């Protein structure tokens, strides 16, 4: 674990600078000479008068390999106070009666245009479970300052249409021009991950929640806004004009991040599974076949963690390290992690967790000993000096109630 990216003790001071006290996800992609970092439900300082709830926000960071952590440079868009403002604000209606929030699930830059997939959450229910109203493609043509939902791209599973009045739809969303509701057809395509490869945008899709399988579609880059131009994988070398339901990853697949890694010469997919809070599969082609999962981070190490999201520098880097963000329930903030890929044999995957709790130290003791510098970077040698020498017991793995 390299860095706390967000929260009151983050080196970027996202609490005082951007009014980000708590948030999650950290979906990253390159746009021009910047790395964009996109977050889900975001909260400011929780006081009796409110909590500054924004459904999603985005920070900018320096591009390149984050060897010494993510260098946050700003927020986009900003409000009048200079704080991070919502990209697509949810209606924030009561749980189960409309739209609770709007969460980004994937994002990418194609040319001068940014795209993200969002899901409109209808209700949060059992741990790891939620239901959606629709998934939609959202576009920004001004470097992320303003966003508009592409109406034709909506994959509707309910007849909800009482979204926040500040949200822009293109063309304007009216009852007459909304795509039809198809609860069965679109059920498995509410959450996404993006990969650009050989002139296509590949989209990996799962149902809402954390218990479904993954399917895949693709579209030529120039036709990404045309829902009728998508092809759906049917197995083997076959692609169909209609959704096939062909599963490329077995259930349960949680939040998913996929990219190509030059060091391995393979596509990599990160998600949380029973075997590990960060599990990795590899494949030679975007659609697979995918290897068995290997655990990068044992669930005992981060018992309340979820949603590993790959840093874009890990896509084209020929180095051995994979960088990714990881969110946690208890801190409700985002961390940056690094994995040494040379420690794994992806030609013969195994179930070894590759992690062990060697020692532990209180954060306050680490700070006092100078283990964590002003940039939030951990000095591993000093850490060893102040940590307990004897192996420490792992934290118990237990998913909390709620989200």
């Amino acid at each position: 674990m390299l860095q706390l990216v967000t929260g009151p003790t983050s080196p970027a001071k996202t609490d005082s600078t951007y009014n980000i006290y708590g948030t999650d996800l950290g979906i990253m992609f390159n746009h021009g000479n910047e790395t964009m970092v996109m977050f889900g439900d975001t909260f400011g300082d929780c006081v009796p008068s409110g909590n500054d709830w924004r459904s999603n926000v985005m920070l900018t960071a320096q591009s390149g390999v984050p060897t010494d952590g993510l260098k946050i440079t700003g927020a986009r868009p900003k409000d009048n106070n200079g704080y991070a403002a919502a990209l697509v604000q949810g209606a924030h209606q009561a749980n189960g009666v409309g739209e609770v929030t709007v969460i980004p699930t994937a994002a990418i830059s194609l040319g001068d245009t940014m795209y993200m997939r969002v899901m409109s959450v209808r209700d949060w229910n059992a741990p790891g479970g939620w239901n959606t109203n629709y998934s939609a493609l959202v576009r920004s043509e001004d470097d992320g300052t303003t966003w508009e939902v592409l109406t034709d791209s909506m994959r509707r599973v309910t007849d909800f249409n009482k979204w926040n009045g500040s949200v822009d739809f293109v063309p304007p969303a009216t009852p007459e021009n909304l795509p039809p509701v198809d609860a069965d057809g679109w059920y498995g395509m509410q959450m996404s991950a993006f990969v650009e490869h050989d002139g296509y945008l590949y989209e990996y899709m799962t149902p809402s929640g954390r218990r479904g399988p993954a399917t895949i579609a693709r579209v030529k880059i120039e036709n990404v806004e045309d829902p009728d131009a998508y092809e759906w994988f049917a197995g083997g070398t076959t692609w169909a004009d209609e959704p096939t339901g062909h599963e490329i990853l077995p259930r349960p697949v949680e939040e998913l991040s996929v990219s190509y890694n030059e060091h391995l010469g393979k596509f990599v997919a990160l998600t949380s599974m029973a075997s590990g809070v960060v599990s990795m599969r590899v494949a030679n082609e975007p659609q697979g076949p995918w290897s068995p999962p290997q655990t990068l981070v044992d669930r005992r190490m981060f018992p309340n963690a979820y949603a590993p999201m790959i840093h874009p520098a890990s896509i084209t880097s020929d180095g051995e390290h994979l960088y990714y963000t990881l969110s946690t329930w208890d801190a409700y903030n985002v961390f940056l992690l690094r994995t040494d890929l040379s420690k794994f044999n992806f030609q013969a995957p195994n179930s070894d967790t590759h992690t062990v709790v060697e020692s532990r130290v209180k954060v306050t003791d680490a700070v006092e000993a100078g283990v964590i510098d002003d940039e939030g970077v951990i000095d591993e040698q000093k850490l060893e000096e102040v940590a307990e020498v004897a192996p420490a017991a792992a934290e118990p793995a237990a998913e909390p109630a709620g989200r």
Side-chain angles (χ1 to χ4, degrees):
M1 198 281 286
L2 291 180
Q3 180 192 32
L4 177 62
V5 177
T6 61
T9 57
S10 63
K13 299 178 176 62
T14 66
D15 53 337
S16 59
T17 307
Y18 307 113
N19 197 25
I20 300 175
Y21 283 72
T23 192
D24 68 349
L25 298 184
I27 300 167
M28 296 172 287
F29 62 100
N30 281 336
H31 180 74
N33 61 355
E34 295 180 303
T35 294
M36 319 306 292
V37 193
M38 193 172 287
F39 303 95
D41 276 326
T42 299
F43 299 92
D45 193 10
C46 294
V47 296
S49 60
N51 55 25
D52 295 315
W53 178 11
R54 289 141 289 165
S55 289
N56 39 71
V57 299
M58 186 170 67
L59 296 179
T60 60
Q62 291 181 7
S63 61
V65 180
T67 306
D68 296 323
L70 281 172
K71 306 296 184 182
I72 301 299
T73 57
R76 195 175 302 150
K78 295 180 179 179
D79 64 16
N80 293 333
N81 295 316
Y83 295 150
L87 288 66
V88 179
Q89 184 73 309
H92 293 178
Q93 297 163 351
N95 198 53
V97 302
E99 179 178 81
V100 182
T101 189
V102 173
I103 303 294
T105 65
I108 197 168
S109 176
L110 300 176
D112 296 328
T113 304
M114 296 181 185
Y115 293 96
M116 67 172 169
R117 266 280 172 188
V118 299
M119 60 176 175
S120 166
V121 177
R122 184 174 182 85
D123 64 77
W124 304 111
N125 44 70
W130 58 87
N131 293 306
T132 51
N133 295 301
Y134 64 85
S135 164
L137 196 63
V138 188
R139 174 182 69 192
S140 175
E141 297 180 294
D142 55 8
D143 301 320
T145 302
T146 61
W147 295 80
E148 50 196 13
V149 178
L150 302 181
T151 304
D152 293 343
S153 73
M154 295 176 70
R155 297 167 180 166
R156 302 177 69 211
V157 293
T158 75
D159 59 1
F160 169 78
N161 60 10
K162 304 296 183 182
W163 33 76
N164 191 303
S166 67
V167 177
D168 291 327
F169 286 81
V170 178
T174 66
E176 293 75 26
N177 70 357
L178 286 174
V181 174
D182 186 354
D184 293 332
W186 295 131
Y187 168 77
M189 306 174 201
Q190 295 297 293
M191 301 169 62
S192 299
F194 289 149
V195 164
E196 182 182 1
H197 178 65
D198 283 349
Y200 284 89
L201 177 68
Y202 288 81
E203 182 177 1
Y204 302 79
M205 297 158 291
T206 64
S208 56
R210 298 192 173 103
R211 297 183 176 88
T215 60
I216 188 173
R218 70 180 184 183
V219 63
K220 290 186 176 179
I221 297 298
E222 62 269 22
N223 296 329
V224 69
E225 297 182 11
D226 180 4
D228 295 329
Y230 283 69
E231 300 177 322
W232 313 85
F233 187 56
T237 59
T238 304
W239 295 82
D241 293 334
E242 299 289 338
T244 63
H246 183 84
E247 299 178 7
I248 62 167
L249 292 175
R251 69 182 71 221
V253 179
E254 301 192 10
E255 291 94 339
L256 186 63
S257 180
V258 186
S259 73
Y260 185 78
N261 181 266
E262 285 189 356
H263 172 69
L264 296 177
K266 295 178 181 294
F267 292 89
V268 299
L270 297 189
T271 188
S272 296
M273 303 178 65
S275 59
V277 72
V278 182
S279 294
M280 179 175 175
R281 297 176 186 264
V282 298
N284 293 324
E285 301 293 337
Q287 67 273 18
W290 291 88
S291 72
Q294 291 204 88
T295 296
L296 305 192
V297 180
D298 189 341
R299 191 171 285 276
R300 296 175 301 170
M301 305 290 289
F302 273 85
N304 297 318
Y306 62 101
M309 296 291 167
I310 301 171
H311 188 283
S314 297
I315 298 173
T316 56
S317 171
D318 60 0
E320 296 178 346
H321 292 112
L322 182 73
Y323 294 85
Y324 49 94
T325 56
L326 192 64
S327 304
T328 66
W329 299 115
D330 42 7
Y332 195 63
N333 270 297
V334 178
F335 295 80
L336 179 69
L337 278 74
R338 179 189 68 206
T339 287
D340 185 349
L341 296 175
S342 68
K343 302 295 185 181
F344 296 81
N345 182 1
F346 290 99
Q347 302 302 320
N350 60 62
S351 58
D352 184 0
T353 62
H354 293 269
T355 57
V356 61
V357 180
E358 295 180 342
S359 59
R360 64 170 51 152
V361 59
K362 291 183 178 179
V363 174
T364 52
D365 294 340
V367 172
E368 291 176 1
V371 171
I372 306 174
D373 66 17
D374 292 338
E375 293 296 319
V377 178
I378 295 173
D379 185 318
E380 295 182 18
Q381 181 175 348
K382 288 184 178 179
L383 178 63
E384 291 182 3
E385 293 173 357
V386 300
E388 298 176 13
V389 176
E395 296 286 345
E399 187 169 8
R403 283 180 59 192

